[in-house]
Amino acid sequence: MSLDFTTLSALRTHHPAWRLLCSDHAPLIASFLHRIFVAPNVRVVNAADLAEMLEDELFALRERLGENEFPKRAQEYLNDWASPDKAWLRKFYQQGSDDAQFDLTPATEKAINWLSSLTERSFVGTESRLLTLFDLLKQMSEGSEADPAKRVAELQKKREDIDAEISRALSGDLGLLDDTAIKDRFQQFMQISRDLLTDFREVEYNFRQLDRRVREHIALWEGSKGALLEQIMGERDAISDSDQGKSFRAFWDFLMSSRRQEELTQLLDRVLNLTPVLELAPGPRTRRVHYDWLEAGEHTQRTVAQLSLQLRRFLDDQTWLENRRIMDILRGIESKSLALRQQQPTGEFTSIDELTAEIELPMERPLHTPSFKPVIADLILQAGEADLDTNALYNHFTIDKAELMLHIRHALQLQSQATLQEITVKHPLQHGLAELISYLHLGSESFNTVIDEDHTETIGWNAVTAQGKQVQKQATLPRVIFVR
Protein backbone atom coordinates (compact mmCIF):
# COMPACT_ATOMS: atom_id res chain seq x y z
CA MET A 1 0.00 0.00 0.00
CA SER A 2 1.29 3.47 -0.91
CA LEU A 3 1.84 5.74 2.09
CA ASP A 4 0.96 8.98 0.37
CA PHE A 5 -0.57 11.99 2.12
CA THR A 6 -4.17 11.07 1.21
CA THR A 7 -3.83 7.51 2.43
CA LEU A 8 -2.22 8.49 5.73
CA SER A 9 -4.79 11.23 6.30
CA ALA A 10 -7.61 8.69 5.82
CA LEU A 11 -5.92 6.21 8.15
CA ARG A 12 -5.45 8.90 10.80
CA THR A 13 -9.15 9.72 10.64
CA HIS A 14 -10.74 6.29 10.29
CA HIS A 15 -8.36 3.54 11.44
CA PRO A 16 -9.04 2.40 15.05
CA ALA A 17 -5.34 1.66 15.71
CA TRP A 18 -4.32 5.23 14.92
CA ARG A 19 -7.21 6.58 17.02
CA LEU A 20 -6.02 4.45 19.94
CA LEU A 21 -2.47 5.82 19.71
CA CYS A 22 -3.85 9.38 19.67
CA SER A 23 -6.15 8.81 22.64
CA ASP A 24 -5.44 10.62 25.92
CA HIS A 25 -6.05 7.33 27.74
CA ALA A 26 -3.83 5.25 25.42
CA PRO A 27 -1.49 4.06 28.25
CA LEU A 28 -4.46 2.78 30.27
CA ILE A 29 -6.20 1.17 27.29
CA ALA A 30 -3.13 -0.50 25.82
CA SER A 31 -1.71 -1.76 29.12
CA PHE A 32 -5.04 -3.10 30.38
CA LEU A 33 -6.07 -4.81 27.13
CA HIS A 34 -2.57 -6.27 26.71
CA ARG A 35 -2.68 -7.76 30.21
CA ILE A 36 -6.20 -9.16 29.86
CA PHE A 37 -6.34 -10.31 26.22
CA VAL A 38 -2.94 -10.40 24.49
CA ALA A 39 -0.52 -11.72 27.13
CA PRO A 40 -2.67 -14.71 28.26
CA ASN A 41 -4.11 -15.28 24.73
CA VAL A 42 -7.73 -14.79 25.86
CA ARG A 43 -10.29 -14.42 23.10
CA VAL A 44 -13.58 -13.63 24.88
CA VAL A 45 -14.24 -12.14 28.35
CA ASN A 46 -17.60 -11.73 30.05
CA ALA A 47 -18.66 -8.08 30.43
CA ALA A 48 -19.14 -8.33 34.20
CA ASP A 49 -15.72 -9.94 34.73
CA LEU A 50 -13.98 -7.44 32.44
CA ALA A 51 -15.66 -4.50 34.21
CA GLU A 52 -14.56 -5.84 37.59
CA MET A 53 -10.95 -6.20 36.44
CA LEU A 54 -10.96 -2.69 34.96
CA GLU A 55 -12.48 -1.29 38.15
CA ASP A 56 -9.58 -2.77 40.12
CA GLU A 57 -7.14 -1.24 37.64
CA LEU A 58 -8.80 2.19 37.93
CA PHE A 59 -8.80 2.00 41.73
CA ALA A 60 -5.06 1.31 41.79
CA LEU A 61 -4.37 4.19 39.38
CA ARG A 62 -6.49 6.62 41.40
CA GLU A 63 -4.65 5.62 44.56
CA ARG A 64 -1.37 6.51 42.83
CA LEU A 65 -2.34 9.45 40.58
CA GLY A 66 -5.19 11.06 42.52
CA GLU A 67 -8.95 10.74 42.85
CA ASN A 68 -9.66 12.97 39.85
CA GLU A 69 -7.98 10.59 37.39
CA PHE A 70 -10.34 8.44 35.28
CA PRO A 71 -13.59 9.70 36.84
CA LYS A 72 -16.00 7.42 34.97
CA ARG A 73 -17.06 3.91 35.97
CA ALA A 74 -15.39 0.89 34.37
CA GLN A 75 -18.54 -0.13 32.45
CA GLU A 76 -18.77 3.32 30.88
CA TYR A 77 -15.17 3.08 29.69
CA LEU A 78 -15.76 -0.38 28.20
CA ASN A 79 -18.89 0.74 26.34
CA ASP A 80 -16.98 3.77 25.05
CA TRP A 81 -14.07 1.63 23.82
CA ALA A 82 -16.55 -0.65 22.02
CA SER A 83 -18.52 2.18 20.38
CA PRO A 84 -18.36 2.43 16.55
CA ASP A 85 -16.32 5.65 16.66
CA LYS A 86 -13.61 3.88 18.74
CA ALA A 87 -13.86 0.17 17.72
CA TRP A 88 -11.09 -0.94 20.11
CA LEU A 89 -13.28 -3.70 21.56
CA ARG A 90 -16.03 -5.81 20.03
CA LYS A 91 -19.14 -6.10 22.23
CA PHE A 92 -21.54 -8.88 21.32
CA TYR A 93 -24.02 -11.39 22.73
CA GLN A 94 -23.57 -15.10 22.24
CA GLN A 95 -26.56 -17.08 21.05
CA GLY A 96 -28.82 -18.10 23.91
CA SER A 97 -27.18 -15.75 26.42
CA ASP A 98 -28.18 -12.32 27.75
CA ASP A 99 -24.71 -11.57 29.10
CA ALA A 100 -22.57 -9.24 26.99
CA GLN A 101 -19.14 -10.44 25.87
CA PHE A 102 -16.04 -8.48 24.86
CA ASP A 103 -13.27 -9.37 22.44
CA LEU A 104 -10.26 -7.48 21.13
CA THR A 105 -10.38 -6.12 17.57
CA PRO A 106 -7.48 -6.82 15.15
CA ALA A 107 -6.72 -3.10 14.87
CA THR A 108 -6.23 -2.80 18.64
CA GLU A 109 -3.93 -5.82 18.72
CA LYS A 110 -1.85 -4.30 15.91
CA ALA A 111 -1.48 -1.07 17.89
CA ILE A 112 -0.48 -2.96 21.05
CA ASN A 113 2.08 -5.06 19.14
CA TRP A 114 3.55 -1.90 17.61
CA LEU A 115 3.86 -0.34 21.06
CA SER A 116 5.60 -3.51 22.26
CA SER A 117 8.15 -3.14 19.46
CA LEU A 118 9.10 0.34 20.79
CA THR A 119 10.56 -1.06 24.00
CA GLU A 120 14.30 -1.50 24.12
CA ARG A 121 15.66 -5.01 23.56
CA SER A 122 18.82 -6.24 25.22
CA PHE A 123 19.74 -8.16 22.08
CA VAL A 124 18.77 -7.56 18.45
CA GLY A 125 19.66 -10.37 16.04
CA THR A 126 19.75 -10.12 12.26
CA GLU A 127 21.38 -13.36 11.11
CA SER A 128 18.29 -15.54 11.65
CA ARG A 129 16.10 -13.14 9.66
CA LEU A 130 18.52 -13.20 6.75
CA LEU A 131 18.60 -17.00 6.82
CA THR A 132 14.80 -17.09 6.98
CA LEU A 133 14.54 -14.83 3.93
CA PHE A 134 17.10 -16.94 2.10
CA ASP A 135 15.17 -20.16 2.91
CA LEU A 136 11.90 -18.58 1.74
CA LEU A 137 13.46 -17.60 -1.58
CA LYS A 138 14.82 -21.13 -2.02
CA GLN A 139 11.39 -22.64 -1.25
CA MET A 140 9.68 -20.38 -3.79
CA SER A 141 12.32 -21.06 -6.43
CA GLU A 142 12.30 -24.83 -5.94
CA GLY A 143 8.53 -25.03 -5.52
CA SER A 144 7.92 -23.25 -8.83
CA GLU A 145 10.48 -25.19 -10.92
CA ALA A 146 8.59 -27.08 -13.65
CA ASP A 147 11.62 -28.64 -15.38
CA PRO A 148 12.09 -32.22 -14.07
CA ALA A 149 15.80 -32.23 -14.90
CA LYS A 150 16.48 -29.08 -12.90
CA ARG A 151 14.38 -30.38 -10.01
CA VAL A 152 16.33 -33.65 -9.94
CA ALA A 153 19.61 -31.73 -10.05
CA GLU A 154 18.51 -29.66 -7.02
CA LEU A 155 17.53 -32.79 -5.08
CA GLN A 156 20.84 -34.47 -5.91
CA LYS A 157 22.70 -31.39 -4.67
CA LYS A 158 20.73 -31.56 -1.43
CA ARG A 159 21.62 -35.24 -1.06
CA GLU A 160 25.31 -34.46 -1.59
CA ASP A 161 25.14 -31.70 1.02
CA ILE A 162 23.46 -34.08 3.50
CA ASP A 163 26.08 -36.79 2.84
CA ALA A 164 28.86 -34.26 3.39
CA GLU A 165 27.24 -33.10 6.65
CA ILE A 166 26.93 -36.73 7.84
CA SER A 167 30.63 -37.28 7.09
CA ARG A 168 31.60 -34.18 9.07
CA ALA A 169 29.43 -35.27 12.00
CA LEU A 170 31.02 -38.75 12.02
CA SER A 171 34.44 -37.14 12.11
CA GLY A 172 33.45 -35.03 15.14
CA ASP A 173 32.77 -31.75 13.32
CA LEU A 174 29.20 -31.11 14.52
CA GLY A 175 29.00 -27.42 13.59
CA LEU A 176 27.20 -26.33 16.77
CA LEU A 177 25.55 -22.93 17.04
CA ASP A 178 27.16 -20.46 19.42
CA ASP A 179 25.18 -18.67 22.17
CA THR A 180 24.61 -15.58 20.02
CA ALA A 181 23.15 -17.60 17.14
CA ILE A 182 20.82 -19.48 19.50
CA LYS A 183 19.53 -16.25 21.06
CA ASP A 184 19.05 -14.75 17.60
CA ARG A 185 16.96 -17.68 16.39
CA PHE A 186 14.94 -17.88 19.60
CA GLN A 187 13.96 -14.21 19.37
CA GLN A 188 12.90 -14.77 15.76
CA PHE A 189 10.80 -17.77 16.87
CA MET A 190 9.05 -15.74 19.59
CA GLN A 191 8.26 -12.88 17.20
CA ILE A 192 6.73 -15.20 14.60
CA SER A 193 4.75 -17.09 17.28
CA ARG A 194 3.21 -13.82 18.53
CA ASP A 195 2.41 -12.75 14.96
CA LEU A 196 0.55 -16.03 14.44
CA LEU A 197 -1.81 -15.29 17.35
CA THR A 198 -2.50 -11.86 15.86
CA ASP A 199 -3.22 -13.43 12.46
CA PHE A 200 -5.87 -15.72 13.99
CA ARG A 201 -7.85 -12.76 15.31
CA GLU A 202 -7.64 -11.03 11.91
CA VAL A 203 -8.77 -14.18 10.07
CA GLU A 204 -11.78 -14.39 12.39
CA TYR A 205 -12.51 -10.69 11.82
CA ASN A 206 -12.46 -11.22 8.03
CA PHE A 207 -14.95 -14.08 8.32
CA ARG A 208 -17.26 -11.84 10.37
CA GLN A 209 -17.00 -9.10 7.76
CA LEU A 210 -17.95 -11.59 5.06
CA ASP A 211 -20.94 -12.75 7.11
CA ARG A 212 -22.04 -9.13 7.58
CA ARG A 213 -21.81 -8.40 3.84
CA VAL A 214 -23.86 -11.52 3.09
CA ARG A 215 -26.60 -10.48 5.51
CA GLU A 216 -26.70 -7.00 4.00
CA HIS A 217 -26.99 -8.62 0.59
CA ILE A 218 -29.94 -10.72 1.80
CA ALA A 219 -31.71 -7.66 3.21
CA LEU A 220 -31.44 -5.79 -0.11
CA TRP A 221 -32.11 -8.78 -2.41
CA GLU A 222 -34.94 -8.37 -4.91
CA GLY A 223 -34.65 -11.58 -6.97
CA SER A 224 -35.58 -15.20 -6.36
CA LYS A 225 -34.39 -17.19 -3.38
CA GLY A 226 -32.65 -19.74 -5.59
CA ALA A 227 -30.49 -17.08 -7.22
CA LEU A 228 -29.73 -15.62 -3.79
CA LEU A 229 -28.59 -18.99 -2.44
CA GLU A 230 -26.39 -19.58 -5.46
CA GLN A 231 -24.66 -16.23 -5.03
CA ILE A 232 -24.21 -16.62 -1.26
CA MET A 233 -22.72 -20.11 -1.58
CA GLY A 234 -20.35 -18.71 -4.18
CA GLU A 235 -19.16 -16.05 -1.74
CA ARG A 236 -18.74 -18.67 1.00
CA ASP A 237 -16.59 -20.80 -1.29
CA ALA A 238 -14.63 -17.73 -2.39
CA ILE A 239 -13.17 -17.08 1.06
CA SER A 240 -12.40 -20.78 1.60
CA ASP A 241 -10.59 -20.91 -1.76
CA SER A 242 -8.83 -17.57 -1.23
CA ASP A 243 -5.12 -17.40 -0.41
CA GLN A 244 -5.96 -16.61 3.23
CA GLY A 245 -8.45 -19.47 3.48
CA LYS A 246 -6.08 -22.01 1.92
CA SER A 247 -3.17 -20.90 4.11
CA PHE A 248 -5.30 -21.09 7.27
CA ARG A 249 -6.61 -24.55 6.33
CA ALA A 250 -3.07 -25.85 5.65
CA PHE A 251 -1.83 -24.42 8.96
CA TRP A 252 -4.77 -25.95 10.83
CA ASP A 253 -4.26 -29.40 9.27
CA PHE A 254 -0.58 -29.26 10.24
CA LEU A 255 -1.34 -28.22 13.81
CA MET A 256 -4.09 -30.82 14.32
CA SER A 257 -1.63 -33.66 13.71
CA SER A 258 -0.92 -35.37 17.05
CA ARG A 259 2.52 -36.34 15.78
CA ARG A 260 3.35 -32.72 14.99
CA GLN A 261 2.07 -31.55 18.38
CA GLU A 262 4.21 -34.11 20.18
CA GLU A 263 7.22 -33.10 18.07
CA LEU A 264 6.64 -29.41 18.87
CA THR A 265 6.40 -30.20 22.60
CA GLN A 266 9.67 -32.13 22.59
CA LEU A 267 11.49 -29.43 20.60
CA LEU A 268 10.24 -26.66 22.89
CA ASP A 269 11.27 -28.57 26.03
CA ARG A 270 14.76 -29.11 24.65
CA VAL A 271 15.25 -25.53 23.41
CA LEU A 272 13.91 -23.88 26.57
CA ASN A 273 16.47 -25.80 28.66
CA LEU A 274 19.41 -24.41 26.68
CA THR A 275 21.59 -22.03 28.69
CA PRO A 276 21.51 -19.13 26.14
CA VAL A 277 17.70 -19.32 26.03
CA LEU A 278 17.44 -19.38 29.84
CA GLU A 279 19.49 -16.17 29.91
CA LEU A 280 16.75 -14.46 27.86
CA ALA A 281 14.22 -15.37 30.61
CA PRO A 282 11.29 -16.40 28.38
CA GLY A 283 7.79 -16.15 29.85
CA PRO A 284 6.01 -19.15 31.39
CA ARG A 285 3.57 -19.37 28.45
CA THR A 286 6.40 -19.95 25.96
CA ARG A 287 6.46 -23.65 26.78
CA ARG A 288 2.83 -23.99 25.68
CA VAL A 289 2.81 -21.56 22.77
CA HIS A 290 1.65 -24.29 20.36
CA TYR A 291 -1.33 -24.92 22.65
CA ASP A 292 -2.11 -21.18 22.41
CA TRP A 293 -2.11 -21.55 18.61
CA LEU A 294 -4.45 -24.51 18.97
CA GLU A 295 -6.86 -22.64 21.27
CA ALA A 296 -6.89 -19.60 18.98
CA GLY A 297 -7.48 -21.80 15.93
CA GLU A 298 -10.29 -23.68 17.67
CA HIS A 299 -11.96 -20.38 18.56
CA THR A 300 -11.73 -19.25 14.93
CA GLN A 301 -13.15 -22.56 13.72
CA ARG A 302 -16.04 -22.36 16.20
CA THR A 303 -16.77 -18.79 15.10
CA VAL A 304 -16.92 -19.80 11.43
CA ALA A 305 -19.16 -22.78 12.24
CA GLN A 306 -21.48 -20.58 14.34
CA LEU A 307 -21.74 -17.96 11.59
CA SER A 308 -22.56 -20.67 9.04
CA LEU A 309 -25.25 -22.12 11.33
CA GLN A 310 -26.83 -18.72 11.94
CA LEU A 311 -26.81 -17.93 8.24
CA ARG A 312 -28.40 -21.30 7.42
CA ARG A 313 -31.19 -20.63 9.91
CA PHE A 314 -31.63 -17.18 8.44
CA LEU A 315 -32.03 -18.63 4.95
CA ASP A 316 -34.28 -21.51 6.09
CA ASP A 317 -36.88 -19.06 7.43
CA GLN A 318 -40.27 -20.46 6.33
CA THR A 319 -41.85 -17.04 6.27
CA TRP A 320 -39.99 -16.48 3.01
CA LEU A 321 -42.60 -18.68 1.32
CA GLU A 322 -45.52 -18.44 3.76
CA ASN A 323 -45.97 -14.68 4.00
CA ARG A 324 -44.17 -12.58 1.41
CA ARG A 325 -45.83 -9.46 2.74
CA ILE A 326 -44.07 -9.81 6.12
CA MET A 327 -40.75 -10.37 4.37
CA ASP A 328 -41.25 -7.20 2.32
CA ILE A 329 -41.90 -5.19 5.50
CA LEU A 330 -38.86 -6.67 7.22
CA ARG A 331 -36.73 -6.00 4.17
CA GLY A 332 -37.86 -2.39 4.18
CA ILE A 333 -36.94 -2.03 7.86
CA GLU A 334 -33.53 -3.64 7.30
CA SER A 335 -32.84 -1.50 4.23
CA LYS A 336 -33.63 1.70 6.11
CA SER A 337 -31.53 0.53 9.06
CA LEU A 338 -28.54 -0.03 6.78
CA ALA A 339 -29.03 3.42 5.25
CA LEU A 340 -29.09 5.03 8.72
CA ARG A 341 -26.11 3.05 10.06
CA GLN A 342 -23.47 5.53 8.96
CA GLN A 343 -25.43 8.64 10.04
CA GLN A 344 -27.79 7.97 12.91
CA PRO A 345 -30.69 10.45 13.33
CA THR A 346 -31.04 12.48 16.51
CA GLY A 347 -34.09 12.82 18.69
CA GLU A 348 -37.28 10.77 18.32
CA PHE A 349 -37.47 9.62 14.70
CA THR A 350 -40.07 6.81 14.93
CA SER A 351 -42.70 5.43 17.28
CA ILE A 352 -44.47 2.11 17.85
CA ASP A 353 -48.10 1.86 18.96
CA GLU A 354 -48.98 -0.06 22.09
CA LEU A 355 -49.98 -3.65 21.35
CA THR A 356 -52.87 -3.60 23.87
CA ALA A 357 -54.87 -0.98 25.69
CA GLU A 358 -54.07 -0.33 29.33
CA ILE A 359 -57.20 -0.89 31.46
CA GLU A 360 -57.21 0.09 35.11
CA LEU A 361 -60.43 -0.42 37.11
CA PRO A 362 -61.27 1.90 40.04
CA MET A 363 -61.50 -1.02 42.47
CA GLU A 364 -57.93 -2.07 41.61
CA ARG A 365 -56.50 1.05 43.19
CA PRO A 366 -55.07 0.29 46.64
CA LEU A 367 -56.16 2.18 49.75
CA HIS A 368 -53.87 4.77 51.24
CA THR A 369 -51.29 3.27 53.58
CA PRO A 370 -49.40 5.69 55.85
CA SER A 371 -45.66 5.29 55.58
CA PHE A 372 -44.07 3.55 58.54
CA LYS A 373 -41.11 5.30 60.08
CA PRO A 374 -38.96 2.93 62.12
CA VAL A 375 -37.73 4.09 65.48
CA ILE A 376 -34.01 3.63 65.90
CA ALA A 377 -32.91 3.39 69.48
CA ASP A 378 -29.91 5.47 70.46
CA LEU A 379 -27.76 2.68 71.85
CA ILE A 380 -24.08 2.72 72.67
CA LEU A 381 -22.13 -0.12 71.11
CA GLN A 382 -19.96 -1.98 73.56
CA ALA A 383 -16.76 -3.78 72.65
CA GLY A 384 -16.72 -7.51 73.28
CA GLU A 385 -15.88 -10.91 71.85
CA ALA A 386 -18.11 -13.37 70.08
CA ASP A 387 -17.44 -17.02 69.34
CA LEU A 388 -17.93 -16.81 65.56
CA ASP A 389 -16.01 -18.60 62.82
CA THR A 390 -14.98 -15.87 60.37
CA ASN A 391 -13.16 -18.27 58.05
CA ALA A 392 -16.41 -18.86 56.17
CA LEU A 393 -16.12 -15.34 54.77
CA TYR A 394 -12.93 -16.28 52.93
CA ASN A 395 -13.75 -19.82 51.78
CA HIS A 396 -15.22 -18.78 48.45
CA PHE A 397 -13.83 -20.20 45.23
CA THR A 398 -14.55 -20.27 41.50
CA ILE A 399 -14.10 -23.09 39.03
CA ASP A 400 -11.69 -22.22 36.19
CA LYS A 401 -13.39 -23.93 33.24
CA ALA A 402 -10.61 -22.85 30.89
CA GLU A 403 -8.11 -24.83 32.97
CA LEU A 404 -10.39 -27.89 32.99
CA MET A 405 -10.76 -27.67 29.19
CA LEU A 406 -6.97 -27.54 28.94
CA HIS A 407 -6.67 -30.74 31.00
CA ILE A 408 -9.11 -32.54 28.68
CA ARG A 409 -7.42 -31.19 25.55
CA HIS A 410 -3.96 -32.28 26.73
CA ALA A 411 -5.25 -35.79 27.45
CA LEU A 412 -6.76 -36.07 23.96
CA GLN A 413 -3.57 -34.91 22.25
CA LEU A 414 -1.74 -38.07 23.25
CA GLN A 415 -4.60 -40.52 22.73
CA SER A 416 -7.87 -40.68 20.84
CA GLN A 417 -10.00 -40.97 24.00
CA ALA A 418 -9.63 -40.50 27.74
CA THR A 419 -11.91 -41.26 30.68
CA LEU A 420 -12.85 -38.72 33.30
CA GLN A 421 -11.21 -40.89 35.96
CA GLU A 422 -7.87 -40.83 34.05
CA ILE A 423 -8.00 -37.04 33.82
CA THR A 424 -8.79 -36.58 37.53
CA VAL A 425 -6.01 -38.97 38.52
CA LYS A 426 -3.49 -36.88 36.56
CA HIS A 427 -5.09 -33.59 37.70
CA PRO A 428 -6.73 -34.22 41.14
CA LEU A 429 -9.91 -32.32 41.97
CA GLN A 430 -9.15 -29.15 43.92
CA HIS A 431 -12.73 -28.05 44.62
CA GLY A 432 -14.51 -31.36 45.08
CA LEU A 433 -17.98 -32.02 43.74
CA ALA A 434 -18.34 -28.58 42.13
CA GLU A 435 -15.27 -29.22 39.93
CA LEU A 436 -16.53 -32.72 39.05
CA ILE A 437 -19.87 -31.29 37.91
CA SER A 438 -17.98 -28.69 35.81
CA TYR A 439 -16.16 -31.53 34.03
CA LEU A 440 -19.51 -33.18 33.25
CA HIS A 441 -20.91 -29.86 32.00
CA LEU A 442 -17.92 -29.38 29.67
CA GLY A 443 -18.41 -32.92 28.39
CA SER A 444 -21.92 -32.09 27.22
CA GLU A 445 -21.11 -28.58 26.01
CA SER A 446 -17.64 -28.42 24.46
CA PHE A 447 -16.39 -31.97 23.79
CA ASN A 448 -17.55 -35.22 22.22
CA THR A 449 -18.47 -37.44 25.16
CA VAL A 450 -19.63 -41.07 25.49
CA ILE A 451 -21.40 -42.34 28.64
CA ASP A 452 -20.78 -46.06 29.30
CA GLU A 453 -23.74 -47.14 31.45
CA ASP A 454 -22.44 -50.71 31.74
CA HIS A 455 -19.35 -49.70 33.70
CA THR A 456 -18.90 -47.37 36.63
CA GLU A 457 -15.88 -45.50 37.95
CA THR A 458 -15.13 -43.95 41.31
CA ILE A 459 -13.59 -40.48 41.56
CA GLY A 460 -12.23 -39.29 44.88
CA TRP A 461 -11.04 -36.00 46.34
CA ASN A 462 -9.85 -34.51 49.60
CA ALA A 463 -12.22 -32.28 51.59
CA VAL A 464 -12.00 -30.28 54.82
CA THR A 465 -14.76 -30.48 57.42
CA ALA A 466 -16.08 -27.56 59.45
CA GLN A 467 -13.76 -28.67 62.26
CA GLY A 468 -10.74 -28.43 59.95
CA LYS A 469 -10.20 -32.20 59.53
CA GLN A 470 -9.08 -33.75 56.23
CA VAL A 471 -11.53 -36.36 54.92
CA GLN A 472 -11.64 -38.42 51.74
CA LYS A 473 -14.82 -38.20 49.67
CA GLN A 474 -15.74 -40.03 46.50
CA ALA A 475 -18.47 -40.22 43.89
CA THR A 476 -19.48 -43.26 41.83
CA LEU A 477 -20.90 -42.57 38.37
CA PRO A 478 -21.13 -44.21 34.93
CA ARG A 479 -17.87 -44.14 33.00
CA VAL A 480 -17.45 -40.83 31.14
CA ILE A 481 -15.23 -41.01 28.03
CA PHE A 482 -13.98 -37.91 26.20
CA VAL A 483 -13.41 -38.60 22.48
CA ARG A 484 -11.18 -36.59 20.15
Side-chain angles (χ1 to χ4, degrees):
M1 184 179 66
S2 175
L3 293 181
D4 52 38
F5 177 84
T6 304
T7 303
L8 292 176
S9 179
L11 287 175
R12 182 178 181 273
T13 305
H14 302 291
H15 201 282
W18 200 315
R19 288 200 297 264
L20 172 58
L21 297 175
C22 294
S23 171
D24 294 336
H25 294 165
L28 166 66
I29 301 168
S31 61
F32 176 74
L33 297 182
H34 177 269
R35 180 171 62 86
I36 300 302
F37 288 97
V38 179
N41 186 34
V42 172
R43 296 282 149 172
V44 176
V45 178
N46 184 277
D49 296 336
L50 189 62
E52 183 178 356
M53 289 184 284
L54 180 57
E55 200 66 65
D56 293 339
E57 181 90 1
L58 295 176
F59 177 81
L61 290 174
R62 292 177 189 134
E63 286 283 314
R64 189 176 62 181
L65 303 177
E67 290 294 332
N68 295 329
E69 292 292 329
F70 310 111
K72 295 192 294 186
R73 295 185 299 109
Q75 190 63 52
E76 296 179 21
Y77 280 116
L78 293 177
N79 291 332
D80 182 48
W81 298 349
S83 60
D85 61 321
K86 300 293 193 303
W88 301 326
L89 287 174
R90 183 175 70 92
K91 184 179 181 180
F92 63 99
Y93 294 85
Q94 291 182 343
Q95 187 175 5
S97 175
D98 294 333
D99 297 329
Q101 311 284 327
F102 282 98
D103 187 14
L104 208 61
T105 61
T108 305
E109 189 164 9
K110 287 181 180 179
I112 293 174
N113 290 337
W114 183 78
L115 290 172
S116 299
S117 67
L118 297 182
T119 58
E120 293 184 2
R121 289 179 289 175
S122 58
F123 170 76
V124 179
T126 54
E127 180 197 4
S128 62
R129 292 179 182 157
L130 178 61
L131 293 177
T132 301
L133 294 176
F134 187 71
D135 289 340
L136 290 174
L137 289 175
K138 288 181 63 178
Q139 291 175 21
M140 289 185 287
S141 175
E142 295 171 0
S144 60
E145 182 56 65
D147 188 351
K150 292 183 178 180
R151 188 63 182 273
V152 170
E154 291 173 354
L155 294 175
Q156 288 177 343
K157 185 178 182 302
K158 283 185 178 180
R159 184 169 62 183
E160 293 172 358
D161 293 339
I162 293 174
D163 291 338
E165 187 173 354
I166 292 175
S167 300
R168 290 194 300 269
L170 291 175
S171 63
D173 183 11
L174 299 178
L176 299 177
L177 295 175
D178 58 17
D179 291 356
T180 302
I182 292 176
K183 291 179 181 179
D184 185 3
R185 285 156 178 77
F186 183 75
Q187 281 197 347
Q188 181 74 356
F189 167 78
M190 291 303 301
Q191 180 62 42
I192 296 176
S193 65
R194 287 191 294 266
D195 292 343
L196 271 176
L197 293 175
T198 303
D199 292 343
F200 274 120
R201 186 170 266 117
E202 190 163 1
V203 168
E204 179 184 343
Y205 174 78
N206 290 342
F207 274 108
R208 291 188 183 279
Q209 292 298 104
L210 171 67
D211 182 79
R212 183 174 182 175
R213 290 196 301 270
V214 170
R215 291 175 185 271
E216 292 178 3
H217 192 59
I218 293 174
L220 301 174
W221 184 256
E222 297 291 343
S224 64
K225 189 175 182 180
L228 173 63
L229 288 174
E230 181 179 359
Q231 185 165 348
I232 289 175
M233 293 305 106
E235 293 187 19
R236 282 279 164 178
D237 294 337
I239 195 167
S240 298
D241 296 335
S242 64
D243 293 337
Q244 179 174 255
K246 291 178 180 178
S247 177
F248 175 75
R249 187 165 59 249
F251 172 82
W252 184 248
D253 293 341
F254 180 89
L255 195 60
M256 285 301 294
S257 170
S258 58
R259 181 176 62 85
R260 294 292 188 182
Q261 291 179 22
E262 185 176 355
E263 183 180 359
L264 279 171
T265 302
Q266 294 174 354
L267 288 173
L268 274 172
D269 289 341
R270 184 174 182 276
V271 169
L272 290 175
N273 289 325
L274 296 175
T275 302
V277 174
L278 292 175
E279 292 176 358
L280 294 175
R285 297 189 67 87
T286 306
R287 194 174 297 274
R288 59 179 304 270
V289 63
H290 51 309
Y291 296 137
D292 286 343
W293 297 338
L294 189 63
E295 291 176 10
E298 284 181 350
H299 189 273
T300 303
Q301 292 281 47
R302 287 195 301 269
T303 299
V304 174
Q306 184 180 13
L307 293 176
S308 299
L309 179 61
Q310 292 175 356
L311 181 61
R312 186 160 57 249
R313 289 175 177 172
F314 191 40
L315 292 173
D316 289 342
D317 196 349
Q318 293 299 317
T319 57
W320 182 284
L321 299 175
E322 295 173 357
N323 198 330
R324 189 59 182 266
R325 173 59 181 165
I326 295 178
M327 291 301 298
D328 291 339
I329 295 174
L330 292 177
R331 189 183 300 112
I333 295 174
E334 291 171 337
S335 301
K336 293 178 180 178
S337 300
L338 292 174
L340 294 172
R341 185 181 63 189
Q342 300 299 333
Q343 186 176 359
Q344 299 181 4
T346 58
E348 182 179 345
F349 61 93
T350 186
S351 60
I352 300 176
D353 295 334
E354 293 285 349
L355 299 179
T356 56
E358 293 185 0
I359 300 176
E360 183 179 356
L361 300 176
M363 297 302 297
E364 292 180 348
R365 300 175 182 174
L367 298 176
H368 172 67
T369 302
S371 59
F372 174 74
K373 296 182 179 180
V375 178
I376 301 177
D378 188 10
L379 299 178
I380 300 176
L381 298 178
Q382 297 180 355
E385 296 182 357
D387 187 13
L388 299 175
D389 184 11
T390 59
N391 292 330
L393 297 174
Y394 307 98
N395 291 335
H396 297 287
F397 61 87
T398 58
I399 304 299
D400 189 355
K401 289 189 177 181
E403 184 178 2
L404 303 186
M405 293 177 66
L406 190 61
H407 294 165
I408 300 172
R409 191 178 293 113
H410 284 179
L412 294 178
Q413 286 173 351
L414 302 178
Q415 52 192 7
S416 59
Q417 61 183 27
T419 65
L420 179 57
Q421 186 181 43
E422 294 173 349
I423 296 174
T424 54
V425 168
K426 188 173 182 181
H427 305 281
L429 300 179
Q430 302 296 323
H431 302 297
L433 187 60
E435 188 172 345
L436 178 61
I437 294 175
S438 298
Y439 269 117
L440 298 176
H441 180 69
L442 290 175
S444 62
E445 182 184 64
S446 305
F447 293 91
N448 295 327
T449 311
V450 177
I451 307 298
D452 186 0
E453 299 284 354
D454 298 331
H455 299 84
T456 60
E457 56 185 12
T458 301
I459 299 175
W461 63 89
N462 293 322
V464 181
T465 63
Q467 292 75 24
K469 296 181 179 180
Q470 289 278 351
V471 296
Q472 179 71 23
K473 293 188 177 182
Q474 62 183 23
T476 302
L477 65 160
R479 179 179 295 169
V480 180
I481 305 173
F482 296 95
V483 183
R484 184 185 299 170

